[in-house]
Amino acid sequence: MAGIRTRYWKWIVFLAALLLLLAVSVAISLSSGEIDISLGGLPQILSQPDSMEFTILTQIRIPRLILAIAVGGALSLSGAILQGIYRNPLVEPYTLGISGGAALGIAIAIVFGLNSLSFLTLPVFGFLGAIITLFLVYFLSIKRAGLSINSMLLIGVMVSFISSSAMMFLMSISTTDNLQSIVFWVMGSLDESNSMLIRIALYSSLAGLIITYFFAQPLNALRLGNAKAKHLGINTDVTVRLLFFVASLLTGIAVSVAGVIGFVGLVIPHLVRLVIGNDYRVLLAGSFLGGAIFLVLSDTIARTIIAPNELPIGVITGFAGGLVFIIVLSRSRSHVKLN
């Protein structure tokens, strides 16, 4: 009993520390930029809607901040779910071709000039690309004996390669302007001004976190393998299907709004496991908060390091995520296991 209480207190302290880090990250993000804003002066700024600082906060920094929390949380949560399903710490949304399908859908819309029809065109085509890829991987993985997780992983990798090849073909035949638009989208950006899309991203990421907590115990059981999970009374086929759809939908929404932002779904769940362990009752929330913190800080660096210009956020997440991942793993004495 004492051991259980100690574990729960450890989880509470860990999540509280992440919430504190998120608050600090939010403060840094709001105050940093081409024009520095004092946190102490926020109440006064927010009471002056005609001021330049008010416009910067409400029209640029706060929307980007909300989107960074939503997208970072969604991608990291998707990575944690998929790694639990496949019992493989190297699996992430990009491995299964979900983000590749979304990027291909966006490339098609840009090349054929459909992006000029509405501000919703690119997000809709990105989401459709992710959903089509999801169903393609899913139905190709079904065998007579049921859903094959190994087949799903291999087919997802192949679909990812095919999507990348198709996108490179579209880039090779597109105009210079279209090529620039595709490349900009592929590198990722949180420069989204439409409040409706930002709300969709935020609400869907929070809903995904709530839904996945209904599957925390099944995910813990899946760490033992499908056969042992079935002996524990878990309907593994239904669980895997539902979780795969939730992770895919979260990824599709994130990519369709913010573009391709790599490493979040791979690095953050892995680092959270190193710190707090494999129990999904804390891993899901920890991954969500960790992803939000990582993307908020990455976005702050991306828009300040070469101000007044801005780096694509995918550049920052790639460098920072890769370096942190290598350093942590090289210093870790024991390899992280999912079972």
Side-chain angles (χ1 to χ4, degrees):
M1 185 65 70
I4 295 176
R5 289 177 181 173
T6 302
R7 181 176 58 184
Y8 286 160
W9 274 111
K10 182 180 178 182
W11 291 354
I12 292 172
V13 171
F14 175 71
L15 294 178
L18 287 181
L19 286 171
L20 179 61
L21 286 175
L22 180 59
V24 172
S25 303
V26 167
I28 294 172
S29 176
L30 291 177
S31 61
S32 302
E34 187 179 353
I35 297 177
D36 292 333
I37 295 177
S38 172
L39 291 176
L42 280 180
Q44 181 180 358
I45 293 172
L46 294 175
S47 65
Q48 298 175 341
D50 295 331
S51 65
M52 180 179 64
E53 289 83 359
F54 180 88
T55 302
I56 292 173
L57 277 176
T58 58
Q59 301 299 319
I60 300 176
R61 293 188 187 175
I62 292 178
R64 290 184 71 126
L65 174 64
I66 295 173
L67 191 59
I69 293 173
V71 171
L75 291 175
S76 183
L77 182 63
S78 298
I81 294 169
L82 294 172
Q83 289 169 14
I85 292 173
Y86 293 98
R87 301 173 65 219
N88 188 331
L90 299 179
V91 174
E92 62 164 338
Y94 300 97
T95 308
L96 297 177
I98 301 167
S99 60
L104 178 59
I106 289 165
I108 291 172
I110 292 174
V111 168
F112 288 96
L114 302 176
N115 54 320
S116 60
L117 299 177
S118 169
F119 70 93
L120 287 173
T121 302
L122 289 184
V124 167
F125 267 77
F127 187 70
L128 287 176
I131 294 301
I132 292 171
T133 303
L134 159 66
F135 282 103
L136 184 63
V137 172
Y138 177 77
F139 286 111
L140 289 176
S141 304
I142 295 179
K143 298 182 177 181
R144 291 183 178 180
L147 185 66
S148 172
I149 291 181
N150 290 331
S151 295
M152 190 185 293
L153 178 58
L154 293 174
I155 291 171
V157 172
M158 291 303 104
V159 169
S160 180
F161 281 124
I162 293 171
S163 298
S164 298
S165 300
M167 191 165 63
M168 286 190 288
F169 170 74
L170 291 175
M171 292 170 67
S172 66
I173 64 173
S174 64
T175 63
T176 303
D177 291 339
N178 288 340
L179 178 62
Q180 185 176 3
S181 299
I182 295 172
V183 171
F184 180 78
W185 190 274
V186 168
M187 289 190 292
S189 173
L190 297 176
D191 189 18
E192 177 57 63
S193 59
N194 188 273
S195 59
M196 185 181 73
L197 293 177
I198 295 174
R199 286 198 299 269
I200 290 173
L202 178 62
Y203 296 154
S204 61
S205 64
L206 293 175
L209 178 61
I210 294 171
I211 291 170
T212 51
Y213 257 94
F214 289 100
F215 297 92
Q217 292 292 14
L219 278 168
N220 283 334
L222 284 172
R223 287 163 41 204
L224 305 174
N226 278 9
K228 292 182 179 179
K230 287 181 179 179
H231 286 303
L232 293 174
I234 304 299
N235 190 332
T236 56
D237 288 341
V238 173
T239 299
V240 168
R241 289 170 187 168
L242 290 175
L243 287 172
F244 182 66
F245 278 109
V246 170
S248 301
L249 290 174
L250 287 173
T251 303
I253 292 171
V255 175
S256 64
V257 175
V260 179
I261 301 175
F263 269 95
V264 182
L266 173 64
V267 174
I268 302 302
H270 203 94
L271 295 181
V272 172
R273 278 194 190 89
L274 286 173
V275 175
I276 202 65
N278 296 324
D279 197 313
Y280 273 85
R281 289 175 292 178
V282 66
L283 182 61
L284 292 172
S287 296
F288 186 94
L289 292 173
I293 294 167
F294 179 59
L295 209 58
V296 167
L297 292 177
S298 296
D299 179 58
T300 304
I301 295 172
R303 59 183 174 80
T304 58
I305 192 170
I306 57 170
N309 296 318
E310 179 182 329
L311 279 176
I313 193 170
V315 174
I316 303 299
T317 58
F319 272 114
L323 288 174
V324 170
F325 196 63
I326 292 172
I327 292 172
V328 170
L329 284 185
S330 65
R331 292 184 176 181
S332 177
R333 295 183 178 180
S334 60
H335 184 69
V336 175
K337 296 182 180 179
L338 295 181
N339 50 15

